[in-house]
Amino acid sequence: MCGIVGYIGTQTAVNILIEGLERLEYRGYDSAGIATVTEEKIESVRAKGKLFNLKEKLENHSNFSRLGIGHTRWATHGKPEEHNAHPHLDNQQRIAVVQNGIIENYQTLRDQLKEKGYQFYSETDTEVIPILIADILKDLPGDDPDKALLEAIGKAVHQLEGAFAIAVLDAHCPEQLIVARQQAPLILGFGQGEFFCASDVTALVPHTNTVLSLENGEIARLTPLGVEVYDFQLKRLRKLPRTLDWSATTVEKQGFRHFMLKEIYEQPAVVRTCLATYLNEQWRAADHPSHSPVFLGLDPQLTKNLQHIQILACGTSWHAGLVGKYLLEQLAGIPTTVHYASEFRYAAPPLTPHTLTIGVTQSGETADTLAALEMEKQRRLTLEDDYKPLILGITNRPESTLATMVNEIINTHAGIEIGVAATKTFVAQVLAFYFLALDIAFQRHSLSLEAIEHIMVGLRQLPAQIETILEQQGSAIEALAHEFAETQDFIFLGRGINFPIALEGALKLKEISYIHAEGYPAGEMKHGPIALLDAKVPVVAIAMPGSVHDKVISNAQEAKARDARLIGVTPMDDNQARSVFDDLLLVPHVEEMLSPIVAVIPLQLLAYHIAARRGLDVDQPRNLAKSVTVE
Ligand code: F6R
């Protein structure tokens, strides 16, 4: 939610800021703006809407400043208009601020500052920050502006409530950029005589692989000579940057029309990486091994004596959690509940002993998920041992805030995902649940060694099976998708382990194509939703081999009898299903337990091609942002 970027060094800041914002635009695209410092003056340019509007404004604009900040906005307080775009300035135009997050007490601060005579020109929460800093600065000695700015920001952050990451410029400090973080991500990048900050490493990798994630309650001062990190009391901290193993090309489209399509096609490689990382290749049931079939390296205390698992997540990650529940219950035999993080926090279920809480978030920054996990941790901290907090994170961003809050993480190794609609990170999250379920099943002897090995054999076939779908079905799915460019409603049906995939197929379609879509358990149709059906509402049914196959086919027939056009996700060799469906999204034959990972691929492609055919901005759908850092 909102992306911020900052630069100080030897190059022209504007180019670096714009390039950084391009890579952060997935975080919000309601408006964009930059501010630079030249000759003790702030120069700020802002534009409503997507970044290209700002770029247009900057054409024929010469600005060679080597210090600047930039912002791309996902509107929270105030409409997406230019006057609400960041950076925001104080009344003297001396201080410029960009912010990602929400200042919860902004109304109180605004009222106090107004009483002191300050004017406000936006409806945003952010505008209080530069005005507050300027107000504090005016009472500090002016002989050393660099020192005064740090001190003023140190004082200001204590008055701000909420989650925020800020970057601040002072017209009187042309050699200094100050940033602060409280529960919203902020990463620093270290170059040769130049330093960067950004909400996400994606904006940094073209320039440097040496990064430092700021932690909550930290302020950093960036100058052309280096970076100093302080806590909010302005005590200097010693921090060591780390090296990223990403290259600039990981954040490029590499010939694909959209990042989402590229990311869909990356899935075989992602699955291969996860299998190579977590699955023990040497493990054979016949050897009666005493060690786990997977290398998760989790502290045994986390999974010993478990009686209950609760999964907290949002959106697509919540769907992965639903598949996880199926696996943890059916393979590992542990009762599992799945909660929307945004609901859990305000109506937490009664505490149960020996409970593992799993937070699933690809970004590791989703405010609802983090807040729910924190709440769960806090309410267990003071209880006796049986109730102690056992918290596991499943994330694609091991450097994220999530990782600092949990006992352990499973890194999903999907590589950076730029498309706002999650695809490869979903598949990697689901895989993480297979590994976890196998690990616990092995420890608790809830599955025979042979059954474990059988699943491992199936998992190893997944990359080639996904490749088959992408290679053999890609064009057919595209052609089919074109027939639905004008459709207004879709229903997705699944049962058992594939009910979450029906939900995911519907979510993918609605978020990128703006077509109304619903996912239902196929057996529920007759209890109400079947009334929606007619010839104008296509029904996509996931009919994979296994315990519910025939039931799904029957439910699909019921839809057909109401004139719905039936599209089946079904194996190439399933002649029964082939004769029922009007259109087919064919996948290789896999066992029920492994079917979600193959079933979701054609649904991702269907959603993508419908949206692309409708000429929509697939990677940046309206009103959405990749990383939802507000509650
Ligand atoms: C949908 C999508 C969102 C996210 C949700 C949670 O394609 O991407 O529904 O799944 O916002 O995000 P994370 O996983 O980062 O917590």
Side-chain angles (χ1 to χ4, degrees):
M1 284 279 125
C2 298
I4 67 178
V5 61
Y7 176 76
I8 187 161
T10 50
Q11 304 185 57
T12 303
V14 175
N15 302 339
I16 290 175
L17 297 174
I18 293 296
E19 196 194 322
L21 291 179
E22 273 167 0
R23 291 172 191 273
L24 293 177
E25 208 182 6
Y26 69 88
R27 300 177 69 88
Y29 25 85
D30 289 330
S31 63
I34 58 163
T36 52
V37 175
T38 317
E39 292 174 2
E40 300 230 339
K41 277 205 175 69
I42 300 270
E43 187 176 351
S44 170
V45 184
R46 307 181 295 173
K48 177 181 166 174
K50 292 203 161 203
L51 190 59
F52 59 75
N53 296 329
L54 177 68
K55 281 176 105 174
E56 233 171 63
K57 271 194 165 180
L58 287 168
E59 268 168 24
N60 311 319
H61 196 97
S62 50
N63 177 337
F64 302 107
S65 172
R66 301 183 193 300
L67 164 65
I69 54 178
H71 187 270
T72 177
R73 177 167 188 246
W74 187 84
T76 58
H77 296 62
K79 287 203 156 101
E81 297 294 343
E82 186 175 325
H83 69 278
N84 287 326
H86 300 213
H88 289 284
L89 273 59
D90 71 307
N91 288 179
Q92 304 300 317
Q93 316 266 297
R94 172 180 169 184
I95 304 293
V97 171
V98 288
Q99 193 239 154
N100 168 30
I102 289 186
I103 306 303
E104 286 168 1
N105 60 336
Y106 83 100
Q107 195 58 55
T108 317
L109 292 171
R110 195 174 159 117
D111 293 345
Q112 286 165 1
L113 291 163
K114 269 186 174 172
E115 259 175 43
K116 290 185 172 183
Y118 293 104
Q119 301 286 321
F120 283 81
Y121 300 94
S122 78
E123 292 96 53
T124 66
D125 53 337
T126 303
E127 198 181 2
V128 297
I129 307 174
I131 297 181
L132 179 64
I133 295 172
D135 184 58
I136 299 171
L137 263 179
K138 78 175 175 6
D139 298 327
L140 294 175
D143 51 335
D144 185 346
D146 285 347
K147 189 166 159 240
L149 180 64
L150 182 64
E151 204 178 321
I153 294 173
K155 287 196 159 85
V157 289
H158 282 102
Q159 296 191 44
L160 304 179
E161 288 169 17
F164 57 85
I166 56 172
V168 186
L169 292 185
D170 179 345
H172 298 179
C173 305
E175 302 276 279
Q176 175 168 263
L177 163 61
I178 297 192
V179 299
R181 174 205 155 120
Q182 184 61 44
Q183 284 171 353
L186 195 61
I187 329 283
L188 308 179
F190 295 69
Q192 297 285 336
E194 55 181 1
F195 300 92
F196 311 80
C197 71
S199 302
D200 190 348
V201 286
T202 45
L204 304 178
V205 282
H207 306 288
T208 177
N209 275 355
T210 311
V211 300
L212 174 69
S213 302
L214 221 55
E215 290 181 36
N216 289 337
E218 289 183 350
I219 297 180
R221 181 169 176 258
L222 285 66
T223 72
L225 300 178
V227 172
E228 296 156 12
V229 181
Y230 300 86
D231 65 16
F232 276 8
Q233 277 65 45
L234 299 187
K235 190 166 129 275
R236 182 89 184 259
L237 305 172
R238 283 175 61 83
K239 298 287 224 177
L240 278 182
R242 66 199 161 84
T243 308
L244 286 174
D245 56 1
W246 288 0
S247 72
T249 53
T250 33
V251 288
E252 280 163 13
K253 286 193 198 134
Q254 295 170 355
F256 285 91
R257 190 168 156 207
H258 292 101
F259 279 110
M260 181 178 174
L261 191 61
K262 172 185 169 233
E263 287 154 5
I264 291 173
Y265 276 80
E266 279 172 351
Q267 291 178 114
V270 169
V271 177
R272 272 195 189 98
T273 304
C274 292
L275 295 174
T277 310
Y278 293 120
L279 219 52
N280 184 343
E281 275 300 312
Q282 316 304 326
W283 197 95
R284 295 287 176 276
D287 301 339
H288 304 288
S290 57
H291 50 276
S292 173
V294 294
F295 299 120
L296 287 177
L298 299 179
D299 179 347
Q301 294 305 322
L302 219 56
T303 49
K304 210 172 92 186
N305 302 328
L306 277 187
Q307 289 175 11
H308 173 210
I309 294 178
Q310 53 187 8
I311 299 172
L312 313 184
C314 303
T316 286
S317 297
W318 185 77
H319 298 157
L322 290 176
V323 180
K325 168 186 161 71
Y326 191 98
L327 298 172
L328 291 163
E329 289 187 338
Q330 304 306 317
L331 302 181
I334 303 184
T336 302
T337 50
V338 189
H339 305 264
Y340 284 119
S342 53
E343 293 292 319
F344 182 90
R345 203 179 158 205
Y346 298 101
L351 287 163
T352 48
H354 300 290
T355 297
L356 174 67
T357 303
I358 306 180
V360 190
T361 159
Q362 70 79 22
S363 64
E365 300 292 350
T366 297
D368 287 320
T369 308
L370 298 187
L373 289 172
E374 187 59 29
M375 190 275 271
E376 184 62 5
K377 188 163 146 187
Q378 292 305 329
R379 71 174 182 151
R380 285 176 178 271
L381 267 181
T382 51
L383 302 180
E384 68 257 39
D385 255 16
D386 291 356
Y387 287 86
K388 70 174 179 235
L390 302 169
I391 307 198
L392 172 69
I394 296 182
T395 186
N396 199 38
R397 306 302 285 269
E399 75 285 359
S400 65
T401 309
L402 174 83
T404 64
M405 296 175 52
V406 298
N407 301 84
E408 304 258 2
I409 61 158
I410 301 178
N411 179 353
T412 55
H413 289 293
I416 180 104
E417 187 174 70
I418 305 274
V420 163
T423 51
K424 61 177 181 167
T425 54
F426 170 75
V427 161
Q429 287 169 343
V430 171
L431 270 180
F433 277 113
Y434 281 99
F435 301 139
L436 183 64
L438 287 180
D439 195 29
I440 301 177
F442 174 78
Q443 286 169 33
R444 294 167 70 102
H445 309 289
S446 59
L447 277 186
S448 69
L449 297 180
E450 288 69 27
I452 291 178
E453 186 170 341
H454 186 71
I455 294 172
M456 291 169 76
V457 170
L459 285 170
R460 284 196 203 99
Q461 290 167 5
L462 286 173
Q465 288 166 334
I466 301 173
E467 263 157 11
T468 305
I469 303 171
L470 296 172
E471 281 163 17
Q472 297 183 7
Q473 298 298 310
S475 319
I477 296 174
E478 181 173 2
L480 179 66
H482 291 175
E483 296 183 33
F484 297 112
E486 303 302 325
T487 303
Q488 290 185 355
D489 299 281
F490 258 90
I491 302 281
F492 288 75
L493 302 179
R495 284 183 91 140
I497 196 168
N498 282 310
F499 165 53
I501 302 304
L503 294 177
E504 178 60 7
L507 177 60
K508 287 293 88 100
L509 185 66
K510 56 188 150 192
E511 68 183 333
I512 58 169
S513 73
Y514 318 146
I515 293 174
H516 169 247
E518 297 290 342
Y520 284 106
E524 274 297 299
M525 281 301 282
K526 56 186 173 293
H527 299 292
I530 200 162
L532 292 170
L533 296 186
D534 62 23
K536 291 204 264 352
V537 183
V539 172
V540 181
I542 304 167
M544 299 298 287
S547 56
V548 291
H549 172 267
D550 293 355
K551 302 280 175 209
V552 174
I553 298 280
S554 305
N555 300 141
Q557 300 268 28
E558 289 155 16
K560 196 171 183 174
R562 272 84 190 167
D563 293 333
R565 180 165 170 186
L566 271 191
I567 303 152
V569 178
T570 197
M572 297 163 179
D573 59 2
D574 187 342
N575 291 331
Q576 185 199 356
R578 291 179 81 134
S579 63
V580 170
F581 293 114
D582 300 310
D583 303 285
L584 295 163
L585 301 173
L586 293 174
V587 297
H589 188 111
V590 285
E591 284 181 33
E592 184 170 30
M593 200 52 86
L594 296 165
S595 57
I597 288 189
V598 294
V600 78
I601 309 292
L603 300 186
Q604 296 169 342
L605 285 170
L606 183 71
Y608 169 79
H609 286 300
I610 292 177
R613 179 67 171 192
R614 285 161 74 93
L616 297 171
D617 191 343
V618 173
D619 286 331
Q620 294 176 352
R622 68 185 178 203
N623 306 336
L624 298 180
K626 183 78 184 159
S627 174
V628 186
T629 54
V630 293
E631 280 183 62

